[in-house]
Tab-separated table of all heavy atoms in Angstrom:
chain	number	residue	atom	x	y	z
A	1	LEU	N	0.807	-1.252	-0.047
A	1	LEU	CA	-0.030	-0.024	-0.074
A	1	LEU	C	0.865	1.247	0.033
A	1	LEU	O	1.801	1.306	0.813
A	1	LEU	CB	-0.845	-0.010	1.218
A	1	LEU	CG	-1.797	1.290	1.410
A	1	LEU	CD1	-3.206	0.827	1.927
A	1	LEU	CD2	-1.186	2.194	2.454
A	2	VAL	N	0.542	2.197	-0.870
A	2	VAL	CA	1.188	3.564	-0.787
A	2	VAL	C	0.116	4.543	-0.465
A	2	VAL	O	-1.003	4.581	-1.197
A	2	VAL	CB	1.798	3.967	-2.234
A	2	VAL	CG1	2.345	5.365	-2.181
A	2	VAL	CG2	2.917	2.954	-2.532
A	3	ALA	N	0.232	5.170	0.682
A	3	ALA	CA	-0.674	6.294	1.112
A	3	ALA	C	-0.230	7.626	0.536
A	3	ALA	O	0.927	8.012	0.919
A	3	ALA	CB	-0.830	6.345	2.617
A	4	VAL	N	-0.855	8.284	-0.363
A	4	VAL	CA	-0.611	9.575	-0.928
A	4	VAL	C	-1.234	10.678	0.022
A	4	VAL	O	-2.393	10.535	0.133
A	4	VAL	CB	-0.714	9.694	-2.339
A	4	VAL	CG1	0.251	8.901	-3.177
A	4	VAL	CG2	-2.155	9.520	-2.747
A	5	SER	N	-0.515	11.529	0.475
A	5	SER	CA	-1.005	12.608	1.489
A	5	SER	C	-1.469	13.856	0.748
A	5	SER	O	-0.797	14.484	-0.131
A	5	SER	CB	0.012	12.923	2.406
A	5	SER	OG	-0.349	13.943	3.313
A	6	PHE	N	-2.765	14.245	1.118
A	6	PHE	CA	-3.423	15.478	0.674
A	6	PHE	C	-3.533	16.297	1.957
A	6	PHE	O	-4.535	16.340	2.765
A	6	PHE	CB	-4.717	15.187	0.058
A	6	PHE	CG	-4.618	14.658	-1.318
A	6	PHE	CD1	-4.667	13.226	-1.394
A	6	PHE	CD2	-4.720	15.417	-2.364
A	6	PHE	CE1	-4.654	12.575	-2.601
A	6	PHE	CE2	-4.716	14.753	-3.612
A	6	PHE	CZ	-4.676	13.362	-3.788
A	7	PRO	N	-2.450	17.103	2.333
A	7	PRO	CA	-2.578	17.829	3.568
A	7	PRO	C	-3.585	18.997	3.492
A	7	PRO	O	-4.072	19.380	4.531
A	7	PRO	CB	-1.081	18.409	3.869
A	7	PRO	CG	-0.550	18.375	2.499
A	7	PRO	CD	-1.155	17.304	1.745
A	8	ALA	N	-3.871	19.482	2.404
A	8	ALA	CA	-4.988	20.491	2.149
A	8	ALA	C	-5.555	20.197	0.842
A	8	ALA	O	-4.920	19.740	-0.099
A	8	ALA	CB	-4.161	21.877	2.203
A	9	PHE	N	-6.842	20.763	0.697
A	9	PHE	CA	-7.614	20.338	-0.571
A	9	PHE	C	-6.799	21.070	-1.798
A	9	PHE	O	-7.096	20.635	-2.827
A	9	PHE	CB	-8.978	20.787	-0.514
A	9	PHE	CG	-9.290	22.326	-0.529
A	9	PHE	CD1	-9.542	22.831	-1.780
A	9	PHE	CD2	-9.126	23.226	0.498
A	9	PHE	CE1	-9.657	24.229	-1.931
A	9	PHE	CE2	-9.282	24.505	0.388
A	9	PHE	CZ	-9.557	25.089	-0.816
A	10	ASN	N	-6.109	22.137	-1.510
A	10	ASN	CA	-5.579	22.918	-2.724
A	10	ASN	C	-4.123	22.375	-3.024
A	10	ASN	O	-3.433	23.031	-3.752
A	10	ASN	CB	-5.705	24.432	-2.362
A	10	ASN	CG	-4.839	24.775	-1.255
A	10	ASN	OD1	-4.423	23.973	-0.422
A	10	ASN	ND2	-4.667	26.099	-1.030
A	11	ASP	N	-3.628	21.331	-2.426
A	11	ASP	CA	-2.271	20.711	-2.571
A	11	ASP	C	-2.545	19.531	-3.442
A	11	ASP	O	-2.848	18.443	-2.849
A	11	ASP	CB	-1.496	20.493	-1.288
A	11	ASP	CG	-0.062	20.042	-1.537
A	11	ASP	OD1	0.216	19.612	-2.727
A	11	ASP	OD2	0.692	20.342	-0.697
A	12	GLY	N	-2.281	19.564	-4.708
A	12	GLY	CA	-2.517	18.478	-5.660
A	12	GLY	C	-1.367	17.582	-6.025
A	12	GLY	O	-1.512	16.835	-6.865
A	13	ARG	N	-0.318	17.745	-5.237
A	13	ARG	CA	0.949	16.948	-5.752
A	13	ARG	C	0.719	15.470	-5.570
A	13	ARG	O	1.284	14.633	-6.318
A	13	ARG	CB	2.171	17.384	-4.856
A	13	ARG	CG	2.607	18.826	-5.303
A	13	ARG	CD	3.701	19.391	-4.351
A	13	ARG	NE	3.243	19.645	-3.084
A	13	ARG	CZ	3.943	20.159	-2.085
A	13	ARG	NH1	5.305	20.307	-2.258
A	13	ARG	NH2	3.468	20.532	-0.969
A	14	ALA	N	-0.159	15.083	-4.667
A	14	ALA	CA	-0.502	13.592	-4.490
A	14	ALA	C	-1.187	13.063	-5.693
A	14	ALA	O	-1.054	11.963	-5.945
A	14	ALA	CB	-1.428	13.322	-3.272
A	15	PHE	N	-1.932	13.894	-6.542
A	15	PHE	CA	-2.364	13.421	-7.828
A	15	PHE	C	-1.250	12.954	-8.695
A	15	PHE	O	-1.370	11.760	-9.322
A	15	PHE	CB	-3.244	14.528	-8.471
A	15	PHE	CG	-4.499	14.712	-7.915
A	15	PHE	CD1	-4.868	15.897	-7.138
A	15	PHE	CD2	-5.660	14.026	-8.206
A	15	PHE	CE1	-6.061	16.275	-6.589
A	15	PHE	CE2	-6.910	14.277	-7.673
A	15	PHE	CZ	-7.214	15.337	-6.933
A	16	SER	N	-0.277	13.828	-8.712
A	16	SER	CA	0.949	13.425	-9.555
A	16	SER	C	1.599	12.219	-9.056
A	16	SER	O	2.067	11.273	-9.760
A	16	SER	CB	1.916	14.650	-9.606
A	16	SER	OG	1.335	15.681	-10.168
A	17	HIS	N	1.777	12.032	-7.744
A	17	HIS	CA	2.389	10.950	-7.082
A	17	HIS	C	1.592	9.641	-7.606
A	17	HIS	O	2.167	8.691	-8.000
A	17	HIS	CB	2.479	10.936	-5.678
A	17	HIS	CG	3.430	12.002	-5.049
A	17	HIS	ND1	4.555	12.304	-5.629
A	17	HIS	CD2	3.283	12.859	-4.043
A	17	HIS	CE1	5.259	13.206	-4.963
A	17	HIS	NE2	4.463	13.603	-3.963
A	18	ALA	N	0.304	9.679	-7.463
A	18	ALA	CA	-0.556	8.415	-7.751
A	18	ALA	C	-0.380	8.152	-9.199
A	18	ALA	O	-0.272	7.007	-9.592
A	18	ALA	CB	-1.970	8.681	-7.379
A	19	SER	N	-0.587	9.214	-10.107
A	19	SER	CA	-0.400	8.982	-11.555
A	19	SER	C	0.939	8.386	-11.992
A	19	SER	O	1.063	7.484	-12.705
A	19	SER	CB	-0.685	10.234	-12.367
A	19	SER	OG	-0.682	10.111	-13.624
A	20	LEU	N	2.101	8.894	-11.396
A	20	LEU	CA	3.390	8.474	-11.586
A	20	LEU	C	3.546	6.969	-11.158
A	20	LEU	O	4.130	6.145	-11.887
A	20	LEU	CB	4.279	9.398	-10.877
A	20	LEU	CG	5.911	8.979	-11.071
A	20	LEU	CD1	6.240	9.089	-12.520
A	20	LEU	CD2	6.644	9.980	-10.319
A	21	LEU	N	3.016	6.678	-9.948
A	21	LEU	CA	3.115	5.242	-9.493
A	21	LEU	C	2.350	4.337	-10.448
A	21	LEU	O	2.987	3.306	-10.730
A	21	LEU	CB	2.362	5.147	-8.079
A	21	LEU	CG	3.231	5.623	-7.002
A	21	LEU	CD1	2.265	5.813	-5.705
A	21	LEU	CD2	4.395	4.622	-6.593
A	22	ARG	N	1.242	4.674	-10.920
A	22	ARG	CA	0.489	3.701	-11.843
A	22	ARG	C	1.038	3.780	-13.216
A	22	ARG	O	1.318	2.780	-13.816
A	22	ARG	CB	-0.971	4.190	-11.811
A	22	ARG	CG	-1.748	3.989	-10.538
A	22	ARG	CD	-1.799	2.550	-10.175
A	22	ARG	NE	-2.838	2.552	-9.082
A	22	ARG	CZ	-2.679	1.484	-8.234
A	22	ARG	NH1	-1.914	0.579	-8.246
A	22	ARG	NH2	-3.633	1.485	-7.277
A	23	SER	N	1.200	4.937	-13.906
A	23	SER	CA	1.444	5.097	-15.261
A	23	SER	C	2.904	4.769	-15.593
A	23	SER	O	3.190	4.046	-16.591
A	23	SER	CB	0.951	6.394	-15.801
A	23	SER	OG	-0.355	6.588	-15.627
A	24	ARG	N	3.834	5.289	-14.925
A	24	ARG	CA	5.180	5.170	-15.289
A	24	ARG	C	6.011	4.124	-14.462
A	24	ARG	O	6.863	3.443	-15.018
A	24	ARG	CB	5.953	6.600	-15.042
A	24	ARG	CG	5.392	7.681	-16.076
A	24	ARG	CD	6.262	8.736	-16.037
A	24	ARG	NE	5.644	9.907	-16.723
A	24	ARG	CZ	5.926	11.020	-16.648
A	24	ARG	NH1	6.890	11.461	-15.782
A	24	ARG	NH2	5.387	11.977	-17.365
A	25	LEU	N	5.648	3.987	-13.272
A	25	LEU	CA	6.396	3.009	-12.373
A	25	LEU	C	5.674	1.632	-12.319
A	25	LEU	O	6.308	0.701	-11.902
A	25	LEU	CB	6.604	3.555	-10.982
A	25	LEU	CG	7.312	4.947	-10.943
A	25	LEU	CD1	7.462	5.412	-9.484
A	25	LEU	CD2	8.677	4.979	-11.570
A	26	GLY	N	4.449	1.542	-12.843
A	26	GLY	CA	3.786	0.298	-12.935
A	26	GLY	C	3.441	-0.415	-11.609
A	26	GLY	O	3.289	-1.624	-11.451
A	27	PHE	N	3.092	0.422	-10.589
A	27	PHE	CA	2.812	-0.048	-9.309
A	27	PHE	C	1.365	-0.731	-9.323
A	27	PHE	O	0.459	-0.005	-9.805
A	27	PHE	CB	2.789	1.032	-8.189
A	27	PHE	CG	2.375	0.574	-6.787
A	27	PHE	CD1	3.206	-0.340	-6.132
A	27	PHE	CD2	1.284	1.068	-6.179
A	27	PHE	CE1	2.882	-0.713	-4.796
A	27	PHE	CE2	0.900	0.672	-4.853
A	27	PHE	CZ	1.741	-0.289	-4.253
A	28	LYS	N	1.289	-1.960	-8.833
A	28	LYS	CA	0.029	-2.721	-8.891
A	28	LYS	C	-0.736	-2.709	-7.503
A	28	LYS	O	-1.919	-3.275	-7.432
A	28	LYS	CB	0.227	-4.143	-9.479
A	28	LYS	CG	0.847	-4.116	-10.827
A	28	LYS	CD	-0.081	-3.674	-11.878
A	28	LYS	CE	0.667	-3.839	-13.267
A	28	LYS	NZ	0.262	-2.755	-14.137
A	29	GLY	N	-0.139	-2.422	-6.412
A	29	GLY	CA	-0.710	-2.527	-5.178
A	29	GLY	C	-1.667	-1.407	-4.906
A	29	GLY	O	-2.152	-0.653	-5.895
A	30	GLU	N	-2.163	-1.269	-3.707
A	30	GLU	CA	-3.253	-0.249	-3.337
A	30	GLU	C	-2.541	1.039	-3.244
A	30	GLU	O	-1.504	1.180	-2.657
A	30	GLU	CB	-3.835	-0.706	-2.060
A	30	GLU	CG	-5.056	0.163	-1.516
A	30	GLU	CD	-5.664	-0.263	-0.344
A	30	GLU	OE1	-5.459	-1.465	0.018
A	30	GLU	OE2	-6.418	0.486	0.244
A	31	VAL	N	-3.292	2.073	-3.686
A	31	VAL	CA	-2.957	3.456	-3.585
A	31	VAL	C	-4.077	4.133	-2.764
A	31	VAL	O	-5.256	4.051	-3.242
A	31	VAL	CB	-2.685	4.286	-4.850
A	31	VAL	CG1	-2.261	5.668	-4.563
A	31	VAL	CG2	-1.384	3.540	-5.617
A	32	ARG	N	-3.835	4.737	-1.642
A	32	ARG	CA	-4.729	5.255	-0.704
A	32	ARG	C	-4.525	6.742	-0.632
A	32	ARG	O	-3.418	7.275	-0.316
A	32	ARG	CB	-4.661	4.693	0.587
A	32	ARG	CG	-5.730	5.291	1.554
A	32	ARG	CD	-5.697	4.558	2.874
A	32	ARG	NE	-6.297	3.212	2.632
A	32	ARG	CZ	-6.249	2.243	3.533
A	32	ARG	NH1	-5.837	2.358	4.737
A	32	ARG	NH2	-6.839	1.082	3.282
A	33	ALA	N	-5.614	7.561	-0.756
A	33	ALA	CA	-5.527	8.972	-0.438
A	33	ALA	C	-5.768	9.228	1.008
A	33	ALA	O	-6.774	8.640	1.666
A	33	ALA	CB	-6.590	9.702	-1.276
A	34	VAL	N	-4.964	10.021	1.648
A	34	VAL	CA	-5.122	10.288	3.048
A	34	VAL	C	-5.001	11.804	3.316
A	34	VAL	O	-4.370	12.460	2.557
A	34	VAL	CB	-4.041	9.607	3.987
A	34	VAL	CG1	-4.120	8.191	3.820
A	34	VAL	CG2	-2.644	9.986	3.689
A	35	GLY	N	-5.617	12.402	4.347
A	35	GLY	CA	-5.596	13.711	4.632
A	35	GLY	C	-6.892	14.430	4.283
A	35	GLY	O	-7.917	13.861	4.638
A	36	ASP	N	-6.862	15.471	3.627
A	36	ASP	CA	-8.064	16.368	3.270
A	36	ASP	C	-8.743	15.759	1.981
A	36	ASP	O	-8.537	16.366	0.878
A	36	ASP	CB	-7.658	17.817	3.218
A	36	ASP	CG	-8.843	18.727	3.216
A	36	ASP	OD1	-9.931	18.225	3.576
A	36	ASP	OD2	-8.659	19.970	2.975
A	37	VAL	N	-9.508	14.621	2.216
A	37	VAL	CA	-10.098	14.033	1.086
A	37	VAL	C	-11.490	14.636	0.924
A	37	VAL	O	-12.362	14.314	1.769
A	37	VAL	CB	-10.147	12.481	1.142
A	37	VAL	CG1	-10.905	11.790	0.094
A	37	VAL	CG2	-8.718	11.925	1.331
């Protein structure tokens, strides 16, 4: 599991982290959003 952190609703860097994990790095496990969801 990779938990990507959204410390504030206006900080979207975790969107990029999740996309990079899936699209470029090929991560197949669970990706979880934590924080201000």
Side-chain angles (χ1 to χ4, degrees):
L1 177 138
V2 175
V4 292
S5 178
F6 290 85
F9 79 92
N10 61 351
D11 188 339
R13 292 177 281 181
F15 284 103
S16 298
H17 291 319
S19 184
L20 181 60
L21 279 164
R22 294 290 192 211
S23 299
R24 294 191 190 160
L25 303 180
F27 180 65
K28 301 292 184 213
E30 182 177 347
V31 178
R32 176 174 294 173
V34 299
D36 198 8
V37 177

